[in-house]
């Protein structure tokens, strides 16, 4: 009996422990795999969820709808009417045969043809073309921002990796010096110096990590990714270090700014033509109406009447130089001249921008060559200083200075790689080339 009670108690205890473990595991937060972001799928993610792009797509759809139905002003006008009339008692005219009511049913079909029809259709087509350009520009603006943000995060991650190495090295140095101090082989000053260096490295690392978290939060917001969702970035700035010279001679310039100004110029020319049509052009009209008329008298028959009308209207307002029509034409001519000047200036600005972009890229590539050499020299200097410090021929401050120069050179190299990719992206945006196309042209050496 005692044995049975012990077995029951053992089983009950096992059950309770198992249930407790199950509940604890159920309450543990489930860690999901981080979303892997490449520069291309980050761009697509941003375009799919960006509010401004969605609003611009509505504007584009409206412009397309206006283009498709721009011919509707030539459509016929069909009207129908019914009328009943009767003279009030005591108001009959002298000699009136009767005071019967009169019924009239009329159907009319009319068509009006104005020379402005051509300009209206063309204006809708030009407006849709400009809406497409504006939409593409908005998309490119978002893509440029996302690509720069993506590579900026890669740059910050590279810096943090270097800061982590520096902090780990400073901590190791401090622990080594502390051990030597405890053995009486090192002064207290060297230990304090190493400790300050370690704490400063740790502070720099924590500051950089905090800055990266803020950048990540904004980047997730741009892409429409929940803040609590972990992400990882697939890519490297090191690919930029061996990029050959960028050349745009074979790249067809398709500047969105130029395209937009060209569309504005065509719209201004079309507006001038529309003003001239309004001032000088005739408006033709044609109509046909058919009516049935009868009275309420007993035995009254229906009378059928068909009417055809043709007309032409010519405005003489444009012949007067002080008239609104003539002044409107003059204003449209001024708008054309202004648009042409803006287009000419934009073309000049484009050439200057391309040259400045190429110069900036070349300067960045030259800086990368110098910085790579500086990293190699700093690495050799640090290795030699560390060996000398171990032998006791160099002090701790000299070693720390050599280490700081090494990490500074590596951070500068990573930053310059980011500057190079940013300059290439800006040049691609200037010439209107697809993003990444100039990088593909500049194959690694």
């Amino acid at each position: 009996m005692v044995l049975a009670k012990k077995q029951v108690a053992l089983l009950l205890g096992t059950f309770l422990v198992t249930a407790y473990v199950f509940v604890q595991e159920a309450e543990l937060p489930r860690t999901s795999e981080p979303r892997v972001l490449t520069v291309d799928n980050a761009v697509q993610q941003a375009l799919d969820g960006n509010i401004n792009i969605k609003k611009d797509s509505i504007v584009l759809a409206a412009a397309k709808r206006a283009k498709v139905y721009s011919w509707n002003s030539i459509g016929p006008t069909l009207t129908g009417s019914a009328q009943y009339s009767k003279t009030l008692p005591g108001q009959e005219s002298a000699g009136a045969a009767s005071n019967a009511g009169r019924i009239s049913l009329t159907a009319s079909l009319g068509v009006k043809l104005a020379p402005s029809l051509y300009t209206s259709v063309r204006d809708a087509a030009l407006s849709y073309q400009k809406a497409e350009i504006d939409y593409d520009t908005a998309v490119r603006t978002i893509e440029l921002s996302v690509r720069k943000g993506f590579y900026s995060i890669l740059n910050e991650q590279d810096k943090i990796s270097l800061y982590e190495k520096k902090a780990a090295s400073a901590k190791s140095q401090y622990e080594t010096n502390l051990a030597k101090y405890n053995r009486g082989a090192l002064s207290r000053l060297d230990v304090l110096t190493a400790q300050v260096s370690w704490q400063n490295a740790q502070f720099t690392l924590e500051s950089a990590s905090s800055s990266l978290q803020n950048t990540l939060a904004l980047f997730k917001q741009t892409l429409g990714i929940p803040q609590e969702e972990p992400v990882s970035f697939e890519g490297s700035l090191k690919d930029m270090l061996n990029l050959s010279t960028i050349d745009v001679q074979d790249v067809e310039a398709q500047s969105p700014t130029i395209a937009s100004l060209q569309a504005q110029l065509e719209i201004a020319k079309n507006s001038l033509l529309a003003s001239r049509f309004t001032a000088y052009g005739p408006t033709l009209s044609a109509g046909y109406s058919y009516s049935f008329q009868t009275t309420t008298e007993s035995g009254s028959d229906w009378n059928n009447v068909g009417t055809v009308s043709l007309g032409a209207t010519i405005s003489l307002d444009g012949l007067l130089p002080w008239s609104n029509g003539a002044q409107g034409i003059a204003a449209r001519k001024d708008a054309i001249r202004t648009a042409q000047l803006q287009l000419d200036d934009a073309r000049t600005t484009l050439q200057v921008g391309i040259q400045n972009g190429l110069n900036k890229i070349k300067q960045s590539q030259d800086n990368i060559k110098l910085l790579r050499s500086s990293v190699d020299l700093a690495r050799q200097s640090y290795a030699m200083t560390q060996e000398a410090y171990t032998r006791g021929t160099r002090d701790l401050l000299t070693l720390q200075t050599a280490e700081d120069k090494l990490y500074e050179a590596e951070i500068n190299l990573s930053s310059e790689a980011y500057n190079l990719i940013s300059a290439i992206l800006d040049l691609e945006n200037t010439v209107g080339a697809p993003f990444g196309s100039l990088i593909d042209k500049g194959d690694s050496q």
Side-chain angles (χ1 to χ4, degrees):
M1 186 68 176
V2 175
L3 181 60
K5 289 183 179 180
K6 289 183 178 180
Q7 290 176 342
V8 170
L10 180 61
L11 290 174
L12 180 60
T14 304
F15 172 77
L16 292 176
V17 171
T18 304
Y20 174 78
V21 172
F22 177 79
V23 171
Q24 290 297 107
E25 289 182 350
E27 293 179 350
L28 288 175
R30 297 182 180 274
T31 58
S32 59
E33 291 294 327
R35 178 186 300 202
V36 179
L37 291 177
T38 65
V39 64
D40 291 326
N41 65 29
V43 169
Q44 191 60 50
Q45 176 74 26
L47 295 180
D48 290 341
N50 188 267
I51 298 298
N52 291 329
I53 295 299
K54 291 181 179 179
K55 291 191 296 185
D56 290 338
S57 65
I58 295 175
V59 175
L60 180 62
K64 183 178 182 180
R65 187 169 58 251
K67 173 190 174 184
V68 172
Y69 297 111
S70 59
W71 52 267
N72 58 8
S73 62
I74 199 177
T77 302
L78 179 63
T79 60
S81 63
Q83 183 178 10
Y84 171 79
S85 63
K86 180 178 175 62
T87 305
L88 295 175
Q91 302 296 321
E92 298 90 347
S93 60
S98 65
N99 189 25
R102 288 173 294 277
I103 300 174
S104 175
L105 302 175
T106 304
S108 300
L109 179 65
V111 177
K112 183 177 290 187
L113 180 61
S116 58
L117 172 64
Y118 167 76
T119 54
S120 297
V121 172
R122 191 161 186 268
D123 181 72
L126 292 173
S127 296
Y128 175 64
Q129 179 184 352
K130 188 176 184 305
E132 284 185 312
I133 295 172
D134 292 341
Y135 179 79
D136 292 340
T137 300
V139 169
R140 288 182 64 85
T141 300
I142 295 297
E143 183 172 356
L144 176 63
S145 175
V146 172
R147 286 180 179 271
K148 280 191 171 184
F150 183 91
Y151 289 115
S152 175
I153 290 175
L154 290 184
N155 182 33
E156 290 190 44
Q157 288 180 335
D158 288 346
K159 289 182 179 180
I160 288 177
S161 178
L162 293 172
Y163 290 146
E164 288 175 343
K165 292 180 180 179
K166 183 176 180 180
S169 176
K171 181 181 180 181
S172 176
Q173 188 64 56
Y174 164 70
E175 292 174 345
T176 300
N177 287 359
L178 181 61
K180 290 182 179 180
Y181 170 76
N182 291 333
R183 295 197 306 268
L186 201 65
S187 68
R188 176 66 176 171
L189 177 61
D190 287 339
V191 176
L192 293 177
T193 301
Q195 184 177 3
V196 170
S197 178
W198 171 40
Q199 291 177 346
N200 287 339
Q202 192 67 27
F203 173 78
T204 302
L205 173 60
E206 291 176 356
S207 298
S209 299
S210 177
S211 176
L212 176 59
Q213 292 305 315
N214 294 335
T215 304
L216 277 174
L218 293 176
F219 193 73
K220 287 181 179 180
Q221 182 181 8
T222 302
L223 269 60
I225 296 177
Q227 292 293 322
E228 64 274 8
E229 182 177 353
V231 295
S232 63
F233 293 80
E234 185 177 287
S236 175
L237 291 174
K238 292 182 174 61
D239 297 336
M240 296 295 103
L241 300 181
N242 297 320
L243 198 66
S244 63
T245 304
I246 298 296
D247 187 9
V248 295
Q249 290 183 356
D250 298 331
V251 177
E252 182 180 356
Q254 300 173 346
S255 169
T257 302
I258 299 297
S260 179
L261 289 174
Q262 286 175 333
Q264 290 181 14
L265 178 60
E266 292 302 318
I267 291 175
K269 291 179 178 179
N270 189 66
S271 297
L272 173 61
L273 184 59
S275 297
R276 285 173 170 167
F277 281 158
T278 301
Y280 309 127
T283 299
L284 304 178
S285 61
Y288 176 77
S289 64
Y290 194 82
S291 62
F292 302 86
Q293 299 177 357
T294 188
T295 65
T296 57
E297 290 182 341
S298 178
S300 177
D301 295 329
W302 286 91
N303 296 321
N304 304 334
V305 179
T307 304
V308 176
S309 63
L310 298 173
T313 303
I314 300 177
S315 174
L316 301 179
D317 182 62
L319 300 178
L320 304 175
W322 58 81
S323 65
N324 290 333
Q327 292 301 310
I329 292 174
R332 299 294 184 273
K333 290 180 178 179
D334 292 340
I336 291 175
R337 286 193 289 267
T338 300
Q340 185 64 59
L341 290 173
Q342 290 176 335
L343 179 59
D344 294 341
D345 183 63
R347 284 170 174 162
T348 302
T349 302
L350 174 63
Q351 296 303 319
V352 173
I354 291 175
Q355 190 57 51
N356 288 342
L358 291 173
N359 292 340
K360 189 174 182 180
I361 291 173
K362 184 178 183 304
Q363 180 64 47
S364 184
Q365 289 180 318
D366 292 341
N367 291 341
I368 286 176
K369 292 179 181 179
L370 292 175
L371 288 171
R372 294 180 74 172
S373 176
S374 296
V375 169
D376 292 338
L377 293 175
R379 186 175 290 113
Q380 295 178 17
S381 176
Y382 174 68
M384 295 172 63
T385 305
Q386 190 175 35
E387 182 180 353
Y389 175 77
T390 303
R391 293 197 309 266
T393 57
R394 288 289 187 273
D395 57 14
L396 179 60
L397 182 59
T398 303
L399 177 62
Q400 290 176 344
T401 300
E403 185 180 30
D404 289 342
K405 289 183 178 179
L406 172 59
Y407 285 117
E408 180 182 1
E410 290 178 334
I411 290 172
N412 289 340
L413 180 60
S414 176
S415 297
E416 196 59 43
Y418 170 70
N419 292 338
L420 175 58
I421 185 61
S422 295
I424 294 175
L425 290 172
D426 287 335
L427 181 60
E428 289 173 338
N429 189 55
T430 298
V431 301
F435 289 110
S437 59
L438 294 184
I439 297 177
D440 293 337
K441 285 172 62 65
D443 296 332
S444 297
Q445 292 177 341

